Amino acid sequence: MSTTSSPQPEITIVDAPERQAFILQVDGHPAGQLVYSLSGGAPQLVDLTHTEVDETFAGQGLAGRLVHGALTALRSRTPPVKVTASCPYAAKWIERHPDEFTHLIAG
């Protein structure tokens, strides 16, 4: 019996600062977003306010990948930022994955 596997979709997460959102793309097509707001100060505070994934892509773990990708991008910002999550999904994701981004989360 022969099995063929379909190619994995290409998933990218792009920061769109003009929209204050990280855009999730699947094979180059918009599939979701993580909206954020900024407040001044040193370090700048980034609040993750809303996570959404198009229902076409529901159940594929893409919302988690979007939050992870956004936090990874925020971790490398210069000057450094601190993060809060008023979005319930993002807050729960951070709570479930405490080790990787502990230094980034505003206390």
Side-chain angles (χ1 to χ4, degrees):
M1 180 161 98
S2 153
T3 60
T4 58
S5 61
S6 58
Q8 293 294 318
E10 180 183 353
I11 297 168
T12 55
I13 297 158
V14 179
D15 187 8
E18 70 284 357
R19 293 174 52 187
Q20 289 192 346
F22 286 93
I23 308 302
L24 169 70
Q25 298 177 336
V26 176
D27 290 333
H29 302 286
Q33 65 179 348
L34 175 55
V35 180
Y36 60 86
S37 65
L38 302 172
S39 54
Q44 186 175 44
L45 185 63
V46 179
D47 182 25
L48 307 178
T49 61
H50 179 70
T51 305
E52 78 180 63
V53 173
D54 187 292
E55 64 185 41
T56 306
F57 300 98
Q60 299 179 33
L62 295 176
R65 290 182 69 176
L66 177 55
V67 173
H68 183 271
L71 290 171
T72 299
L74 290 168
R75 178 174 53 195
S76 65
R77 280 204 179 163
T78 303
V81 300
K82 287 291 187 180
V83 174
T84 61
S86 59
C87 166
Y89 180 86
K92 192 62 148 177
W93 191 95
I94 291 167
E95 181 183 307
R96 289 182 179 159
H97 303 86
D99 298 334
E100 189 173 357
F101 300 103
T102 302
H103 67 285
L104 191 61
I105 307 306

